[in-house]
Amino acid sequence: MSVNQQAHTGPPYGQPQPGYQGYQQPAYGGQPLPGVPQSQYGAYNGPMPGYQQPVPPQGSLRAPPTSGAPPPASGASLPSGHLAYSQFGHGDVQNGIPASAAPMQRPPASQPFLPGSAPTPVSQTSTFQQYGPPPASVQQLSNHMSGMTIGSTTASGPPPAGLGYGPPTSVPPVSGSFSATGSGLYTPYTASQGPPPTSMSQGLPLAQPPFPGQPIATQRLPTQVPGFAPPPSSTGIGPSSYPPTTGAPRPPTMPGPPLPGQTVAGPPTSQPNHVSSPPPPSTMAGPHPGPPMSGLHGPPPPTHPPQPGYQMQQNGSFGQVRGPQPNYGGAYPGTPNYGSQPGPPPPPKRLDPDSIPSPQLNELPPQQKPRHRIDPDAIPSPIQVIEDDRSNRGSEPFVTGVRGQVPPLVTTNFLVKDQGNASPRYIRCTSYNIPCTSDMAKQSQVPLAAVIKPLATLPPEETLPYLVDHGESGPVRCNRCKAYMCPFMQFIEGGRRFQCCFCSCVTEVPPHYFQHLDHTGKRVDFYDRPELSLGSYEFLATVDYCKNNKFPSPPAFIFMIDVSYNAVKSGLVRLICEELKSLLDYLPREGNMEESAIRVGFVTYNKVLHFYNVKSSLAQPQMMVVSDVADMFVPLLDGFLVNVNESRTVIASLLDQIPEMFADTRETETVFAPVIQAGLEALKAAECAGKLFIFHTSLPIAEAPGKLKNRDDKKLINTDKEKTLFQPQTSFYNNLAKDCVAQGCCVDLFLFPNQYLDVATLGVVTYQTGGSIYKYAYFQLETDQDRFLNDLRRDVQKEVGFDAVMRVRTSTGIRATDFFGAFYMSNTTDVEMAGLDCDKTITVEFKHDDKLSEDSGALLQCALLYTSCAGQRRLRIHNLSLNCCTQLADLYRNCETDTLINYLAKYAYRGVLGSPVKTVRDALINQCAQILACYRKNCASPSSAGQLILPECMKLLPVYLNCVLKSDVLQPGPEVTTDDRAYIRQLVTSMDVAETNVFFYPRLLPLTKADVDSDSLPAAIRNSEERLSKGDIYLLENGLNIFVWVGVNVQQGLIQNLFGVSSFSQISNTLSTLPVLENPFSKKVRSIVDMLQVQRSRYMKLIIVKQEDKLEMLFKHFLVEDKSLSGGASYVDFLCHMHKEIRQLLS
């Protein structure tokens, strides 16, 4: 085989494919197209040869990220997108983004490495052919984006490996000095210094790997010493830059010894636009560039000056050595022992559409090869990043003793050991290294925010925060700023005084708290006191922390049931009453208490309200009707709120009678505000806080305060008045919410609408009191009962604090300026919540008000004052210390993209209340373009403008941002209701980072690949239709829905095992649960569904989707890497669009 002839490698990624828009390729399922050779190398990280599922878990085997699409059925709707970015959809995209294929990951250690034109080898005789000038079509390539680099190159860190620059000797580092870790090209990164950037460069030829079966030199060379790198090349382009070729592939064998564990990717080909080719088999999951090398050990080969704009990019993913990947097969053909060593990742992909060979085109003369779209496999993959983080960081506990440590991703299971900073389960930040000055923060545009979940549930193996009781004197605090004692306070003068770490004020230590210091200045009782050694703990509050200076009574729960015609006829009233009989035994209680201290009360309503006396001394419950809803009062005090055990028989009798009493009702109208007022008055009379559980079915049009009209108007979408759809139609509910918060009356709302209900208005009180909304559109007993009952059980049982006030203190230099979540604020510092449960987060944004110093860092202290479910007043304290930096590179190396997206989504979802949706979307795109442009300008080495360069830890920002932009709130499709959008908007505002992650980028699992004998989940795949095979069954979850998608060619045996029917056509798509069948596959799938349900705060609705069925449109809405029906861009198109925006900012 001649050296310059192309190997048959995987399918092309960007050939003009018939019907590409909808991805319906003939080869959709696993059937290869006639005449197109199947790829002989497995997908990148995916299945090995001989494993022809088209949907190999594409390079990443990872838990899915989350989707932005709210679930339709459960009331969420299908998202829409924006105009397809057609301006770059065709000509431009072909030169489009190059992809870093070794995709974007938290780094594996063995770096794929393309021997390049840069460094001259130390002592090596390798003979690479010299190539002539690039073909014309390659030259056009640099026009749109000739490269994409992902990296965290930074000023003070290791140079990115794939920026277009070489080792330190070749280009002076941005900040002038490299750390001793060496050139970054060969060192694993530590937590403080992120991995080097991955780079995607386009328009660059790829180094051609050896053909299968050809031996490769694997002798080892002297190992690189950290701090030394191969000598620079004359052009200063990094070890990864290869000279472009004239369309001829590289010589297949590499005489020089390659670097340990490095692999090279496939041959370049340049393809002009005029030849069409058969559509590729849609097994697009793998790197098609060709078989990896079994490791080039040693310095790169001699250099050839690269043509402008074509540097090869090194793939910047470094890090610990990664073990064999899930779904990895054995050795690759021709590469000795490849899958058997832990290290080398699969071959890097470069984003060069022209350098990716396509089957059958390899023999064409260079000038006749068609141009390609960008390979979806070559751009950063969320699945890959998640999988890499799991394998790199999932095994070790995360110890919180070090300042400014970036925690593992939310998708990684890890154990936390609190050694002075709050667990990431309580607080996650957008960046763990914040700029020292406000100018630097403005320049980067990275928002500084913390997502705080003060009452988060911990896994059983972690310790709950200790409760500290300082007796009548209460917690020790700073005299000036009132910060609570914490591990960062400095004791001085032999322990007699302490200096505040927040405001530097010196305070006397109270005599009872005095303790001597050891030789290091620490108190000798340091380890005995949680508040001196842990990041999170609780103080028992004294009477000074209580309303009206008296200790609170235990809270009450009031169940308020709509008994109008719709509620009774649907079977809802009977269902609620039946469930409450048993559920009342599971009210929340303090750790060791025999029974719950919470009292309960019952109200039913339609146009009037019915209160029930369930006093334990009565033989039968008594009903009292209040028909004057304009002036609401509670007709009884004694006997309305009771202890469940004492009044058990009376309550049971009441719950039996309610469905009978209203069985023949003809009343269709309901009131709503008076119901909340009644609950509020009852709690006031009982002098306690509590929660109202309201079960409501229709728009409250009956004559009463808070009466609403139907104002739903789809014509307002995309106009300046669209924002009114998200705003309440009357201020009445805002005032009512304020009264509720003052009393500690939290409202949880269960909605069962059959038409427009005005969630934007009804939800105001729930939202501002810290409550939860649950929505079951078109509720039907048989399909929605499980979901509703599970939600109700969890909502009643979960940990909740009442009458809560939260304040966030910061050390000098920054302050909390903005807050997002379900709460009320009467001033600028205190977040007030009538109720705060274990699922709710408050997102806080910080701004500079002074300079910070690198030495002292920055501190946050979140203090939450609340009443426990037993009526105990407590303070929960969470402390976190962050690093501060003077170099932008340090900021970009310590960001957390999932938290950033959580913040940006909340910021945008609040923005729609006051601005047109288009303005909000444009602002989001602009801010992200500025973040990435600032990185490119200040942290990446100089390289052609045609390259898209992304920071390593932000390489998923474009894909996730696109999911937010395509979500139903910001881009609704025609089938999304106004109520759905208002519901999703409120839901997302108090979600934690793990929930927004799976909500915006759903998790997609190939069920047919599940190992029935193990407990593990199958490796996730990317959210795109081209990853699905007709012969498989997939599960997609986004935190609100679970879809089970069944391909038309699934084997009959699998269908029988899972659904208990004999053929595809017999599968019912109205199933709301999977049938319980006694076979391993059924058990495995049901256990996966159960496992996912447990992880989420809401019970997800199960929807069976058969391929080519009408429900499939709904399912496709969640395949967020594809174009959406509502106009949202595909991931590839959006990446091109972002690149264009960045280039405009830079020019």
Side-chain angles (χ1 to χ4, degrees), residues 1024-1139:
S1024 171
E1025 188 175 341
E1026 59 186 35
R1027 310 278 171 188
L1028 304 180
S1029 144
K1030 288 183 178 178
D1032 286 326
I1033 301 175
Y1034 298 86
L1035 179 149
L1036 181 144
E1037 62 126 355
N1038 74 340
L1040 294 181
N1041 294 319
I1042 289 180
F1043 292 91
V1044 174
W1045 182 91
V1046 187
V1048 285
N1049 297 346
V1050 173
Q1051 294 168 4
Q1052 192 179 336
L1054 282 176
I1055 291 176
Q1056 182 71 53
N1057 283 343
L1058 189 56
F1059 299 103
V1061 295
S1062 55
S1063 70
F1064 178 81
S1065 58
Q1066 292 175 302
I1067 298 171
S1068 161
N1069 53 14
T1070 58
L1071 291 175
S1072 59
T1073 52
L1074 291 169
V1076 177
L1077 303 172
E1078 285 303 314
N1079 65 71
F1081 185 59
S1082 171
K1083 285 180 183 165
K1084 177 65 182 175
V1085 173
R1086 283 181 289 113
S1087 81
I1088 289 175
V1089 170
D1090 293 343
M1091 191 190 308
L1092 299 180
Q1093 293 285 21
V1094 171
Q1095 288 174 12
R1096 306 291 169 214
S1097 62
R1098 291 169 181 247
Y1099 194 83
M1100 296 180 280
K1101 178 174 187 168
L1102 182 75
I1103 300 168
I1104 308 293
V1105 179
K1106 293 156 71 176
Q1107 188 180 355
E1108 294 161 14
D1109 187 46
K1110 59 182 188 299
L1111 271 175
E1112 200 182 22
M1113 297 310 275
L1114 177 57
F1115 172 75
K1116 284 181 181 173
H1117 173 65
F1118 297 96
L1119 298 176
V1120 291
E1121 289 197 21
D1122 298 342
K1123 265 194 178 127
S1124 70
L1125 293 169
S1126 51
S1130 69
Y1131 175 20
V1132 167
D1133 289 348
F1134 183 69
L1135 204 49
C1136 293
H1137 180 61
M1138 280 303 284
H1139 188 223

Side-chain angles (χ1 to χ4, degrees), residues 128-377:
F128 260 76
Q129 275 179 235
Q130 172 78 44
Y131 292 92
S137 66
V138 175
Q139 281 164 354
Q140 300 153 9
L141 268 177
S142 52
N143 69 355
H144 180 61
M145 347 181 54
S146 310
M148 176 181 223
T149 312
I150 302 208
S152 65
T153 38
T154 75
S156 53
L163 290 174
Y165 75 104
T169 39
S170 57
V171 174
V174 199
S175 70
S177 69
F178 270 86
S179 59
T181 51
S183 74
L185 291 177
Y186 312 105
T187 49
Y189 71 106
T190 61
S192 59
Q193 131 213 335
T198 343
S199 81
M200 316 187 172
S201 74
Q202 174 183 8
L204 317 175
L206 300 185
Q208 152 98 6
F211 296 106
Q214 286 189 304
I216 300 170
T218 51
Q219 62 273 39
R220 291 183 179 272
L221 241 106
T223 341
Q224 287 287 342
V225 182
F228 293 76
S233 70
S234 54
T235 51
I237 294 190
S240 46
S241 38
Y242 236 109
T245 68
T246 53
R250 305 247 152 244
T253 54
M254 317 244 154
L259 279 166
Q262 320 238 248
T263 56
V264 237
T269 59
S270 64
Q271 282 136 343
N273 291 326
H274 52 261
V275 177
S276 67
S277 68
S282 104
T283 63
M284 295 259 211
H288 304 292
M293 286 256 207
S294 88
L296 313 172
H297 308 272
T303 63
H304 304 296
Q307 262 66 12
Y310 295 88
Q311 314 90 293
M312 201 45 185
Q313 295 292 344
Q314 162 86 8
N315 229 326
S317 357
F318 297 155
Q320 299 81 344
V321 177
R322 182 158 87 146
Q325 282 292 299
N327 286 11
Y328 246 49
Y332 276 83
T335 49
N337 298 333
Y338 184 78
S340 61
Q341 308 131 330
K349 277 163 250 146
R350 292 288 166 282
L351 268 197
D352 172 11
D354 289 346
S355 67
I356 305 259
S358 28
Q360 297 196 336
L361 291 177
N362 307 342
E363 288 74 29
L364 292 177
Q367 23 337 340
Q368 294 168 16
K369 299 186 179 163
R371 276 283 183 71
H372 293 324
R373 286 182 62 96
I374 290 158
D375 178 3
D377 278 325

Side-chain angles (χ1 to χ4, degrees), residues 586-635:
Y586 297 96
L587 299 177
R589 56 176 183 253
E590 289 296 318
N592 47 11
M593 292 173 56
E594 289 291 310
E595 60 176 54
S596 174
I598 293 173
R599 291 170 297 164
V600 297
F602 302 89
V603 172
T604 54
Y605 67 94
N606 38 46
K607 265 178 25 178
V608 299
L609 276 76
H610 323 105
F611 293 80
Y612 297 94
N613 183 345
V614 282
K615 199 172 172 181
S616 55
S617 55
L618 297 173
Q620 282 295 317
Q622 296 170 349
M623 175 161 95
M624 299 183 186
V625 180
V626 177
S627 50
D628 180 9
V629 289
D631 182 19
M632 186 41 65
F633 67 97
V634 179

Side-chain angles (χ1 to χ4, degrees), residues 22 48 184 207 305 380 451 497 507 511 675 679 730 783 871 1058:
M48 284 316 80
V451 179
R497 306 169 87 187
T507 301
V675 181
T730 153
T783 53
L1058 189 56

Side-chain angles (χ1 to χ4, degrees), residues 395-402 405 408 414-425 458-459 461-463 533-536:
S395 50
E396 292 295 306
F398 178 70
V399 180
T400 71
V402 181
Q405 273 186 112
F414 59 99
L415 204 61
V416 179
K417 293 198 168 158
D418 185 341
Q419 291 193 357
N421 282 293
S423 160
R425 303 189 206 290
L458 299 183
E461 48 288 5
E462 291 178 20
T463 319
S533 54
L534 299 176
S536 302

Side-chain angles (χ1 to χ4, degrees), residues 712-730:
D712 191 15
D713 187 358
K714 281 281 179 79
K715 292 195 289 294
L716 297 181
I717 291 181
N718 293 327
T719 68
D720 284 354
K721 288 191 175 162
E722 183 172 5
K723 58 185 182 233
T724 60
L725 298 175
F726 295 110
Q727 299 164 352
Q729 55 173 287
T730 153

